[in-house]
Amino acid sequence: QGSHPGPLSFYLIAPVYRLFGASAWAMLVGAIAVNMAALGTSLGLAFRRGGWWLTGAVAVWLLVSMRGYGVVVLTQPWNPYLPLLAWTVVVLAAWLVLEGDHLMLVPLVAAGSLCAQTHVPYLLLCVGLFAVCACVTLVRWRRGDRTVRRSLAWAVGLGTLLWLPPLVDQAVHTPGNIRMLQQHFMNPSETPIGVRAGLAVLLRHLDVTQVLFGGSSAGGFVDAAYRPDRSVVPGAVLLVVWIVAVAVSWRLRHRPLLWLHSCIGAVLMLEAASMVRISTAQIGRAHV
């Protein structure tokens, strides 16, 4: 099947890991450092966009997320867990780019590369969200927005640097890791769970009441994916509330909120496309 797309998370953990003695405990500290950096970046993006009010709102969002994931999950240097908080950076940076802050393409590429290289399901999400932002940005460039060119150049340069190791691996090995991943996903050996089950997983993840529950080793958000007995109704209710919020924002012609809802809508569609491709074997292994 190949490995995950790239080594960026290992590079980021390595300095802290070495600094604290290269032990198992030091690996945990490295994972915590990555998550703390993601938290700080998220709050910095929020302050850049909306000052202290938006920073407070994003802080609440992050607290709910961390409660839903659980402390054990957020301290483990495991591939599926490491990008959880960095994904918040991706979403916030994408929103700012759509609003016209094109320099935020740089943190979008940085955090997106971390997520995509660390755990392969994020690859579709990050590439898709970056494609949306890139298309909007290029349209603005063609309309004469002179602030776009430099931001695009920085983003492309950083992206090239961060993806150089996987590209070098592909060039010097036969088959390279990228090629193995391509072959695996074009011809999967495991059956996907399908549209109905995949959308049910998505709705269970949208159940914010899960912050109150959780298993022995993970928070409620993590457990939700592997509990088919849980109702999808709370998640469906949240989805309806979001649709109502979109309608209200449209009626008010509130441009910043409309861009935020556009970003959220793109994320939901990409996540749905990803979840319907989850293999039955993955669900079974995780449940065990």
Side-chain angles (χ1 to χ4, degrees):
Q1 296 181 3
S3 300
H4 289 282
L8 184 55
S9 60
F10 298 115
Y11 292 168
L12 293 177
I13 288 176
V16 179
Y17 174 69
R18 298 296 180 186
L19 180 64
F20 285 88
S23 64
W25 179 82
M27 184 71 79
L28 300 180
V29 177
I32 293 171
V34 170
N35 281 324
M36 291 296 292
L39 289 174
T41 304
S42 296
L43 295 175
L45 292 176
F47 186 79
R48 178 184 177 92
R49 172 58 188 85
W52 290 112
W53 284 104
L54 185 59
T55 303
V58 170
V60 172
W61 173 13
L62 290 169
L63 288 171
V64 171
S65 298
M66 289 188 289
R67 177 67 177 87
Y69 293 134
V71 174
V72 172
V73 167
L74 296 177
T75 57
Q76 294 299 316
W78 190 36
N79 294 70
Y81 293 164
L82 274 172
L84 289 173
L85 295 182
W87 176 242
T88 301
V89 178
V90 176
V91 175
L92 288 173
W95 175 35
L96 267 64
V97 171
L98 292 176
E99 271 213 83
D101 192 350
H102 303 123
L103 187 59
M104 293 301 98
L105 282 167
V106 176
L108 173 61
V109 168
S113 296
L114 171 61
C115 293
Q117 289 192 26
T118 302
H119 194 42
V120 71
Y122 284 94
L123 186 61
L124 172 63
L125 305 180
C126 294
V127 170
L129 202 54
F130 178 78
V132 170
C133 292
C135 288
V136 172
T137 302
L138 288 172
V139 168
R140 290 170 178 161
W141 187 11
R142 294 195 63 180
R143 290 178 177 176
D145 190 336
R146 297 184 178 181
T147 66
V148 174
R149 184 174 180 178
R150 180 178 298 178
S151 299
L152 276 174
W154 277 104
V156 171
L158 178 62
T160 302
L161 177 64
L162 295 178
W163 285 92
L164 190 59
L167 293 175
V168 171
D169 169 80
Q170 178 61 37
V172 301
H173 294 97
T174 304
N177 189 57
I178 294 176
R179 179 60 176 167
M180 285 191 286
L181 288 172
Q182 178 189 19
Q183 291 174 341
H184 172 70
F185 286 104
M186 290 183 66
N187 300 284
S189 58
E190 301 166 339
T191 305
I193 62 176
V195 175
R196 182 176 180 178
L199 294 180
V201 172
L202 176 61
L203 290 175
R204 290 198 295 271
H205 275 297
L206 293 178
D207 181 3
V208 293
T209 66
Q210 295 299 323
V211 298
L212 304 175
F213 308 102
S216 59
S217 62
F221 288 165
V222 179
D223 287 344
Y226 314 114
R227 293 292 303 275
D229 57 310
R230 290 197 182 278
S231 174
V232 300
V233 172
V237 170
L238 180 64
L239 189 60
V240 170
V241 170
W242 172 69
I243 293 173
V244 172
V246 174
V248 172
S249 300
W250 179 265
R251 185 177 180 84
L252 295 175
R253 296 295 191 269
H254 196 293
R255 186 180 179 87
L257 283 180
L258 287 173
W259 278 122
L260 175 60
H261 290 312
S262 299
C263 183
I264 293 173
V267 168
L268 287 173
M269 287 189 290
L270 290 167
E271 288 180 343
S274 177
M275 289 183 181
V276 300
R277 298 298 300 171
I278 296 173
S279 72
T280 52
Q282 284 176 313
I283 291 290
R285 285 195 297 265
H287 184 66
V288 171

